[in-house]
Amino acid sequence: ELRDKYADLIRKKFPKIPRRISGYNLPDLLPENNFNVARALVGTEATCVTILNATLKLIHYWKERVLVVLGYPDIYIATKQVTQLLKHEPTGLEGIDSELPKYMKLNQVDEEFLPMLPKGNGWLLVEFGGDTKEEAKNKAKKLIDELKKHPSSPDIKLYEDEQSQQNLWKVREAGLGATVFDSKKNLTWPGWEDSAVPPEKVSDYLRDLNALFKKYGYEASLYGHFGQGCVHCSINFDMQSEEGIQQYKKFTIEAARLVTNYGGALSGEHGDGQSKADLLEIMYGKELVEALREFKYIWDPEGRMNPGKIVDAYGQLSNLKLSNGYPHHEPETHFHFPDDKGKFSNAVLRCFGVGKCRQDAAGTMCPSYMVTKEEKHTTRGRARMLFEMLEGDVVKGWKSKEVKESLELCLSCKGCKGDCPVRVDMATYKSEFLSHYYEGKLRPPAAYAFGWIYWWARMASIFPRIANFFTHAPGISQIVKGLGGISQKRSIPKFASYTFRDWFFNRKKKAIGNQQVILWADTFNNFFTPETLVAGVEVLEAAGCEVLVPEKMLCCGRPLYDYGMLNTAKNLLTDIMSHLEKAIKKGIPIVGLEPSCVAVFRDELINLFPNNEIAQQLKRQTYTLAEFLETKTPGFKLPRLHRKVLLQGHCHHKAVMKMNSDENLLKTMNVDLQKLDAGCCGMAGGFGYEKGEHFDVSIKAGERRLLPAVRSAKLDTVILADGFSCREQIEQQTDRKAMHLAQLIQMAMRETDADQFNNELPEKKFVDGMKLQNPHRVRNNFFMIAAFGAGIAAGIYFRNKKN
């Protein structure tokens, strides 16, 4: 009845375009469309039915693909050719304007791939598929040959290998992440983020849309599925002042009229929801909107299915996220959030609800969700809890148990900082929250066991055998674990007989190289696996460097962040900057072998000291081993190693520094590289050692992919993992040991068998040139122990007294 009543109006008013999601799909009810009720329900946003199961029609997926990238003087000239390009039947036709690369550079989102674009200020990415690579290439070459015949031919680049194509698509996919949050201007918002027009009209529509932006003083990058006429953008609407909200409303009314005049739709992909429902009358007219209303109430006569959307909407300006005076108050914080205008409230607003954290197919984010499948354990869920806390309506203040519960299983892996399109950094938010949550009260035992590992390790290094006895002797070790909140199923790493610093300062002097470099003797490798740092020395000296190690024992305090001990962490960083100030000013680079420590200098340091020039310089001068060898030792010829290597990247490494240099280095060494997309190893510093749910999540995270891959690897395959936590998880849960990149290069240099190298360096060789004891270190550490013990006692006394 509905179809018959409105059939002529449906045929007249519904845009006939590839992308039209606005309203309901009433054209699919027409006789010429076979009265397809299922298709009419697609995109109804749960306002009509709940779909319990569905049968899908699959499209052909080409085995091979190639990518043609076209560069034009501007995006308007580029989109003029869309119709011509579509005649070649590409599998994908996407476009970006000149503004997107600017946003990518400003916000440091995949900017390393921008040089792959051809010359121009507007680009189209044209993909061709085939059952063979040759078939796909032939399709692409036909287009290229046709374009080259014209004098105004665009600049053309053809990419055939899969990796290059993926990198180019990352540039296009960076659209949301790079533009949704601009630290230099207002926050950007949806509201007009997916309008669609006929593909042949995209060029003119973009010109008029940009003119409308300028009229209202808005800025936006335009990109999208131009082959289907769908245009994406995030616009810097002012959604916090009444004047700005009213201007937003006026803009969307004009924009709705504009897209309607072009025969387009308000939404070409995301749907109308509440934000565009008020505008549907401009697009369809009153009578057809009434048809939409009738369609909904045929299915939902009582109006209970997702009410207030599409028809009879709450209203475009109702329920706006910031309309209740957000934030309730702007809290003082340890971190300065320089990329968020210096406000924690802005940082929390980064989350756009895209939900990429709700996946387990690839990437690192979010390991706890991958295990529990609970929304509260997604990055999005946690960001929402923090937003609610600052809004102050339901969840109130830093002492909120609800927020603490949602953050409890966050591994602080920084996977979200690397994988989230808008770079939500939940590890930092968690650290900030915990610093306030525990003010005036004691933390759990594990916080002191792992947060203070730097000081415990210094004590243990005086008498390592005694320390290892207490942590491994049957009966006694169980008591130690119980006191430290450590799972009885975990093994505490053994302290090395001698520290790396002992070895370094007692070894025979080497010939001085051409370049000075500071090797960061991090806590984990120095006290537990000094052979890793020894390998680092050997590699750097082979590369022609004079290796320096700070005379004073220093620590970046990485574990402190996981437990919110930020005052202590800041003190350690201040000590580092003070002690290394002269070396930093000289420009001496620092190489760190533990990725989490390098990440502190590249990330947390600047967040805590954004205006400190020494901090800024330290960030610029800190490298991973692979980065340093790639950029600072051009004359060093890496040794070849004809072995298969299974690479597990540390989460902080992937999120902050990226793995490009490591992969390039390994390819230069000619190894047979297998990159594991296994996500987080699950150990995550102290997290995986802690008893209860933390241990369970840790094991389940590791068992998703990493641990099975290690167990199934052939014995002659080298397991490569730079992270101390990753190596410990592998060693404790499999019968294999992993090595560091420095050890891999050392092994290649020595042409040593991997099985022999996996064992610890022989004691005699390791301590060659050393005295049995270093009396100055023992004396200094005794003073340190006394001061540390007195500090603990005083702290506990005064906290208890305060409580």
Side-chain angles (χ1 to χ4, degrees):
E1 291 175 3
L2 176 75
R3 186 273 312 274
D4 294 342
K5 180 180 178 180
Y6 293 102
D8 291 340
L9 194 60
I10 292 171
R11 292 186 183 101
K12 179 181 178 182
K13 297 286 289 185
F14 268 80
K16 297 176 178 62
I17 57 177
R19 292 279 190 124
R20 179 200 46 76
I21 311 298
S22 286
Y24 295 129
N25 296 324
L26 300 187
D28 285 303
L29 299 177
L30 296 173
E32 56 266 36
N33 294 326
N34 301 316
F35 193 69
N36 194 322
V37 179
R39 289 181 64 90
L41 287 170
V42 171
T44 53
E45 305 182 42
T47 60
C48 296
V49 296
T50 296
I51 297 174
L52 301 181
N53 56 72
T55 301
L56 306 179
K57 178 183 177 182
L58 303 181
I59 62 172
H60 181 67
Y61 188 85
W62 297 107
K63 294 179 181 178
E64 299 289 344
R65 294 165 190 260
V66 297
L67 185 63
V68 179
V69 189
L70 308 174
Y72 297 86
D74 60 44
I75 195 61
Y76 313 117
I77 296 174
T79 46
K80 278 290 185 185
Q81 284 203 312
V82 164
T83 305
Q84 177 187 351
L85 300 176
L86 287 173
K87 293 177 182 177
H88 290 263
E89 299 182 345
T91 56
L93 176 48
E94 308 275 306
I96 59 175
D97 68 358
S98 59
E99 293 301 305
L100 181 57
K102 295 177 184 177
Y103 280 100
M104 292 174 68
K105 291 176 182 177
L106 179 65
N107 294 315
Q108 298 178 332
V109 179
D110 293 323
E111 58 181 316
E112 65 268 27
F113 304 130
L114 289 175
M116 299 178 70
L117 292 172
K119 295 178 182 178
N121 287 300
W123 297 270
L124 295 178
L125 285 71
V126 192
E127 183 188 73
F128 291 95
D131 287 325
T132 65
K133 183 70 75 174
E134 198 62 31
E135 181 185 354
K137 283 171 58 179
N138 288 338
K139 294 177 183 178
K141 286 180 178 178
K142 285 182 181 179
L143 170 64
I144 293 171
D145 291 342
E146 180 180 301
L147 292 174
K148 286 185 174 180
K149 291 178 182 178
H150 299 280
S152 58
S153 171
D155 193 29
I156 303 171
K157 286 188 177 182
L158 173 64
Y159 292 96
E160 300 178 24
D161 66 288
E162 184 177 354
Q163 187 60 56
S164 294
Q165 293 180 60
Q166 288 179 2
N167 293 343
L168 262 302
W169 282 122
K170 285 180 180 178
V171 174
R172 160 60 187 86
E173 292 163 4
L176 178 62
T179 64
V180 76
F181 194 95
D182 180 4
S183 60
K184 306 301 181 184
K185 306 182 182 72
N186 286 332
L187 298 170
T188 60
W189 299 95
W192 199 253
E193 80 283 4
D194 65 329
S195 56
V197 296
E200 64 273 15
K201 297 182 179 180
V202 171
S203 179
D204 293 335
Y205 173 64
L206 292 183
R207 283 186 186 275
D208 288 345
L209 184 59
N210 247 328
L212 194 60
F213 289 156
K214 291 179 181 178
K215 175 181 176 180
Y216 282 87
Y218 294 142
E219 295 180 17
S221 169
L222 297 169
Y223 56 92
H225 319 292
F226 293 162
Q228 294 183 304
C230 185
V231 179
H232 287 311
C233 59
S234 294
I235 304 170
N236 58 330
F237 299 123
D238 172 11
M239 305 301 284
Q240 292 181 277
S241 72
E242 185 60 33
E243 181 183 357
I245 291 172
Q246 291 302 324
Q247 182 167 299
Y248 151 73
K249 174 74 171 178
K250 291 177 183 177
F251 167 83
T252 57
I253 291 172
E254 280 204 57
R257 290 173 179 155
L258 174 65
V259 78
T260 300
N261 290 339
Y262 274 100
L266 310 178
S267 177
E269 185 170 354
H270 301 155
D272 304 310
Q274 175 180 338
S275 66
K276 299 173 193 169
D278 287 351
L279 306 171
L280 283 172
E281 194 171 302
I282 296 174
M283 178 178 169
Y284 288 126
K286 288 185 178 181
E287 193 174 359
L288 208 47
V289 168
E290 179 59 30
L292 300 177
R293 182 177 291 108
E294 291 180 28
F295 181 77
K296 166 165 168 78
Y297 286 104
I298 288 171
W299 296 100
D300 179 27
E302 296 182 31
R304 296 189 300 177
M305 297 291 292
N306 193 17
K309 316 299 188 304
I310 304 183
V311 297
D312 299 325
Y314 294 129
Q316 192 175 5
L317 303 186
S318 301
N319 304 318
L320 291 175
K321 189 173 185 178
L322 306 185
S323 60
N324 294 327
Y326 173 88
H328 181 65
H329 74 282
E330 186 64 51
E332 291 187 14
T333 57
H334 296 277
F335 289 107
H336 290 261
F337 304 101
D339 294 333
D340 300 283
K341 292 187 176 180
K343 294 182 178 181
F344 182 60
S345 59
N346 282 346
V348 170
L349 285 177
R350 276 184 176 270
C351 179
F352 239 59
V354 173
K356 190 178 178 182
C357 45
R358 285 185 62 92
Q359 58 86 34
D360 60 3
T364 305
M365 176 185 68
C366 175
S368 50
Y369 170 77
M370 291 178 182
V371 171
T372 68
K373 297 297 191 293
E374 291 281 353
E375 171 72 13
K376 68 179 180 180
H377 296 142
T378 62
T379 303
R380 180 174 70 179
R382 290 168 179 140
R384 182 69 195 186
M385 288 297 293
L386 289 167
F387 168 80
E388 296 283 357
M389 181 189 80
L390 292 183
E391 190 180 40
D393 184 17
V394 178
V395 180
K396 301 181 187 296
W398 292 115
K399 303 298 182 181
S400 166
K401 293 181 179 179
E402 295 88 353
V403 177
K404 171 67 163 55
E405 181 184 350
S406 73
L407 293 170
E408 185 64 36
L409 294 185
C410 172
L411 283 77
S412 299
C413 68
K414 289 187 178 287
C416 46
K417 189 177 179 73
D419 292 356
C420 174
V422 290
R423 303 172 312 287
V424 171
D425 186 3
M426 194 53 61
T428 297
Y429 308 165
K430 175 186 176 182
S431 186
E432 185 67 53
F433 173 82
L434 292 179
S435 71
H436 299 280
Y437 180 83
Y438 283 115
E439 278 182 0
K441 57 183 177 182
L442 290 171
R443 288 170 168 81
Y448 302 104
F450 296 104
W452 289 352
I453 188 64
Y454 168 56
W455 292 279
W456 298 131
R458 288 183 67 178
M459 292 182 193
S461 68
I462 301 172
F463 302 110
R465 291 184 180 179
I466 296 175
N468 290 332
F469 172 79
F470 278 103
T471 57
H472 289 84
I476 298 176
S477 64
Q478 281 81 355
I479 296 173
V480 172
K481 291 177 186 178
L483 292 172
I486 301 169
S487 170
Q488 297 296 337
K489 299 176 183 178
R490 280 292 185 195
S491 175
I492 299 174
K494 286 187 175 182
F495 294 95
S497 300
Y498 293 91
T499 69
F500 163 75
R501 289 173 57 84
D502 287 337
W503 174 86
F504 185 84
F505 290 115
N506 285 277
R507 70 177 185 142
K508 295 177 181 177
K509 292 289 184 179
K510 298 285 184 178
I512 296 176
N514 299 322
Q515 179 179 356
Q516 287 187 327
V517 59
I518 295 173
L519 180 61
W520 184 253
D522 63 275
T523 295
F524 306 107
N525 287 313
N526 180 57
F527 293 108
F528 295 100
T529 57
E531 63 272 16
T532 303
L533 288 162
V534 172
V537 171
E538 187 171 329
V539 171
L540 290 170
E541 289 182 339
C545 299
E546 178 189 359
V547 179
L548 308 176
V549 173
E551 291 185 8
K552 183 177 180 180
M553 193 175 293
L554 301 168
C555 178
C556 70
R558 172 65 255 173
L560 295 167
Y561 298 93
D562 298 344
Y563 302 100
M565 298 175 169
L566 296 183
N567 285 325
T568 307
K570 286 189 285 188
N571 290 337
L572 290 179
L573 290 177
T574 300
D575 194 26
I576 290 170
M577 290 187 287
S578 175
H579 187 76
L580 298 182
E581 182 175 359
K582 290 182 180 179
I584 292 170
K585 287 183 175 179
K586 286 182 180 179
I588 299 176
I590 296 176
V591 172
L593 300 190
E594 172 55 41
S596 60
C597 297
V598 177
V600 168
F601 294 141
R602 300 269 282 268
D603 187 10
E604 282 88 355
L605 174 66
I606 301 303
N607 207 333
L608 291 169
F609 302 95
N611 301 315
N612 188 310
E613 182 52 40
I614 296 297
Q616 294 286 349
Q617 199 168 343
L618 177 55
K619 174 187 176 179
R620 293 191 296 268
Q621 291 171 205
T622 302
Y623 302 86
T624 66
L625 179 63
E627 288 175 335
F628 181 80
L629 294 176
E630 183 179 46
T631 60
K632 299 296 182 181
T633 60
F636 179 47
K637 187 175 181 180
L638 285 161
R640 298 300 179 95
L641 184 67
H642 302 288
R643 297 288 292 273
K644 186 168 185 176
V645 172
L646 190 66
L647 174 62
Q648 165 67 8
H650 188 282
C651 295
H652 292 184
H653 195 152
K654 290 181 287 188
V656 179
M657 290 86 72
K658 311 299 182 186
M659 297 292 294
N660 300 334
S661 295
D662 297 73
E663 293 171 18
N664 293 339
L665 185 148
L666 291 167
K667 289 176 183 176
T668 302
M669 291 180 67
N670 203 37
V671 304
D672 181 5
L673 179 61
Q674 179 186 351
K675 296 183 292 181
L676 271 179
D677 187 6
C680 181
C681 73
M683 187 66 91
F687 182 94
Y689 289 95
E690 296 177 30
K691 63 183 179 181
E693 200 172 7
H694 285 205
F695 172 79
D696 294 337
V697 169
S698 168
I699 296 300
K700 289 176 181 177
E703 291 291 354
R704 285 184 59 256
R705 287 182 183 160
L706 171 61
L707 299 177
V710 170
R711 294 188 192 106
S712 62
K714 293 182 178 180
L715 291 178
D716 61 348
T717 298
V718 175
I719 313 299
L720 189 63
D722 279 6
F724 179 81
S725 290
C726 303
R727 297 198 298 273
E728 279 297 306
Q729 180 80 308
I730 290 168
E731 184 173 345
Q732 293 198 23
Q733 300 302 318
T734 73
D735 60 355
R736 303 293 296 274
K737 283 188 176 183
M739 66 168 62
H740 191 282
L741 177 64
Q743 295 173 297
L744 183 79
I745 301 172
Q746 182 191 51
M747 182 177 75
M749 288 165 50
R750 295 181 178 183
E751 296 181 348
T752 307
D753 183 76
D755 295 331
Q756 175 186 345
F757 191 80
N758 271 338
N759 298 320
E760 290 185 358
L761 290 174
E763 186 77 4
K764 183 177 179 181
K765 187 172 185 179
F766 182 65
V767 300
D768 183 33
M770 285 181 54
K771 296 178 181 178
L772 186 59
Q773 289 185 333
N774 185 334
H776 297 292
R777 179 173 69 84
V778 174
R779 182 193 65 196
N780 292 340
N781 277 338
F782 270 125
F783 284 131
M784 182 273 297
I785 291 171
F788 186 51
I792 294 173
I796 292 174
Y797 172 76
F798 286 114
R799 282 184 184 274
N800 288 339
K801 187 175 180 181
K802 181 179 179 181
N803 290 339

